[in-house]
Amino acid sequence: MRRLLPLLLLLLGPALPAAAAPTPASDAFPYTLQTDTLPNGLTVVRVPYPSRGIIAYVTVVRVGSRNEVEPGRTGFAHFFEHMMFKGTKTHPEGERERILGNFGYDDNAFTTDDITLYYSYGPTAGLPQLIEIEADRFRNLEYSEPSFQTEALAVLGEYHKNAAAPFLKMEEELNAAAFTRHTYQHTTMGFYKDIQAMPQAYAYSRTFFERWYTPDNTLLFIIGDFDDAQVMEQVRQHYGPWNRKAAQVTVPAEPPQQGARTAHIDWPQPTQPRLVIAWRTPGAGTSPEDAAIQTLLVDYLAGPTSPAYKRLVLDKQLVESIGSDYAEHRDPHLFTLTATLKDERHRAAVRKTLLQEVSRLAAGRVDAARLKAIQDHARYGALMALETPRDVGIQLGWYAGVTGSPDGFQRHLQSLPRVTPAQLSDFTKRYLTANKFILLSLTPKTDAQGGTK
């Protein structure tokens, strides 16, 4: 039985703690954040945005594959994203979609290693109904065992679909090589054997919901054209009785890496050869400065103005593309350099070129003018991408989920122009070392003539 606040508190309206001072608009982020925390721990952030009758409604739960510490129970954060659309006693399965569809809402979700994010995007006119419906499902989700088992098979099908391309297998092999203890060892989808076993885990799934879908583990962002006082009254009314507490688990710390590591994939189908060089680097959850440095490193080492790009893509044309799969994480994760080769014969030359650029940077050979241009492009590019309330909400939600702070995105934008050439070089020298990289190669099946296509 879920615990409810005393009826008197509901009738009088629970008193909120003193509201946090608004985070004002600035050159780094042009919108004001008004943040309050309900007595149950739910963080509610409102962002006025000149969208003329349109709002974005973003709910971030700080649960991802990182939280999956129990053996045999990987992939549940992603799986539970599916289950959150199964309805409640008040709004049975399908009713939520019908109501929101009548208003014209765009509605979706995604899961990462660290967070699960839900968003709805549509007219302000439907906001009162949206608040009630969303609060209901986060408090009172209901689903039957047969429904659970059907969705578990759908997730297995999703895995098979993703496994038809090389990227999932590459991520699995890279994670396995990089992490021996930390839960980042498995992908967001989870280990295959655990996905196969999910239909038998109905009881565990209910426990997962109670442990992680809690107000103190959730941030709510409302962006757009709305009346703030009315919105907060409705939020207090519908979310106030939500009264669970998040579980506390110990995520195993990854021990220091000793020596270089390698992993290889023989891909059974024709495709382009792939190369990944990865290093374990600090997470964004504890250091926004380190996250900003890694964001800039992506373009500095492999972007279109980099010497590696000029040599490998434009001049010698040894690769289809180079880049990075770097993304912010709560805990130390990976900085990568990636290359899609045109021919397997070029693998050694491509690897040498990429590592040479890393070595030059570690030695202090920094092009300060190019770094400044990359910083400006990164900051202005991020701001130019905030074209709709949904864009703003997803960016705010992503960084808040990773960092645990509602203003995580603003702090990231503020950090980008502060990175100095010396910091970029020092970070590279400290973390992107030749004796501690992880080298992943993928070699495709060749056709009868020896080609890869």
Side-chain angles (χ1 to χ4, degrees), residues 35-354:
T35 303
D36 290 280
T37 302
L38 272 59
N40 60 10
L42 177 68
T43 299
V44 186
V45 184
R46 291 91 63 209
V47 184
Y49 185 103
S51 51
R52 306 187 72 173
I54 299 295
I55 60 97
Y57 195 91
V58 175
T59 306
V60 186
V61 186
R62 299 190 77 203
V63 62
S65 50
R66 172 188 181 274
N67 302 70
E68 296 162 357
V69 298
E70 297 96 342
R73 300 304 190 191
T74 65
F76 259 89
H78 166 254
F79 175 75
F80 217 84
E81 172 204 320
H82 290 240
M83 298 311 301
M84 282 298 292
F85 293 88
K86 292 300 180 183
T88 68
K89 290 179 180 178
T90 303
H91 298 289
E93 184 174 358
E95 183 174 306
R96 175 183 179 278
E97 287 67 30
R98 179 182 60 79
I99 294 172
L100 298 186
N102 287 340
F103 281 105
Y105 275 100
D106 177 19
D107 189 59
N108 216 325
F110 62 82
T111 307
T112 74
D113 295 337
D114 297 304
I115 67 170
T116 307
L117 185 148
Y118 302 84
Y119 70 84
S120 298
Y121 180 52
T124 305
L127 184 55
Q129 291 91 331
L130 179 61
I131 292 173
E132 186 273 324
I133 289 172
E134 290 297 87
D136 181 43
R137 72 166 172 157
F138 278 83
R139 289 171 52 200
N140 305 312
L141 179 68
E142 293 285 349
Y143 53 86
S144 67
E145 188 166 3
S147 176
F148 171 86
Q149 292 173 338
T150 297
E151 200 61 41
L153 293 176
V155 171
L156 181 61
E158 181 182 351
Y159 180 93
H160 289 154
K161 181 179 69 175
N162 290 343
F167 308 107
L168 178 58
K169 182 65 173 176
M170 292 174 65
E171 184 182 5
E172 289 177 335
E173 293 296 324
L174 183 62
N175 287 1
F179 300 103
T180 61
R181 294 187 60 193
H182 195 284
T183 46
Y184 288 151
Q185 184 185 51
H186 59 268
T187 70
T188 301
M189 291 208 72
F191 293 126
Y192 183 57
K193 65 180 184 300
D194 295 345
I195 300 173
Q196 291 176 304
M198 277 182 181
Q200 287 74 53
Y202 173 75
Y204 177 81
S205 75
R206 299 301 310 176
T207 302
F208 188 92
F209 176 65
E210 298 287 340
R211 292 172 72 190
W212 298 115
Y213 279 71
T214 65
D216 58 339
N217 200 42
T218 301
L219 300 97
L220 173 62
F221 291 84
I222 304 172
I223 304 94
D225 179 17
F226 55 87
D227 182 285
D228 190 72
Q230 291 180 3
V231 161
M232 284 307 300
E233 180 181 359
Q234 293 158 358
V235 167
R236 288 193 293 267
Q237 175 187 352
H238 294 293
Y239 284 92
W242 190 15
N243 202 27
R244 296 189 295 271
K245 294 295 183 182
Q248 299 295 320
V249 299
T250 299
V251 177
E254 186 65 28
Q257 181 175 329
Q258 303 298 327
R261 300 175 183 175
T262 62
H264 178 72
I265 301 169
D266 287 315
W267 189 249
Q269 301 294 333
T271 188
Q272 295 302 114
R274 309 298 212 281
L275 168 68
V276 180
I277 310 171
W279 295 265
R280 286 187 3 215
T281 52
T286 55
S287 176
E289 293 77 16
D290 285 340
I293 288 172
Q294 291 176 82
T295 297
L296 299 173
L297 273 176
V298 171
D299 273 344
Y300 193 89
L301 291 172
T305 66
S306 67
Y309 186 93
K310 182 177 185 298
R311 181 176 182 182
L312 297 176
V313 179
L314 300 179
D315 295 345
K316 293 184 176 294
Q317 299 185 18
L318 302 184
V319 301
E320 295 283 356
S321 63
I322 60 172
S324 175
D325 296 322
Y326 168 75
E328 295 85 358
H329 283 73
R330 286 180 67 170
D331 297 336
H333 198 257
L334 298 176
F335 179 84
T336 65
L337 294 175
T338 64
T340 302
L341 312 180
K342 288 191 173 182
D343 194 291
E344 180 66 30
R345 294 173 298 176
H346 304 318
R347 182 177 298 278
V350 173
R351 180 176 67 246
K352 181 179 179 181
T353 296
L354 293 175

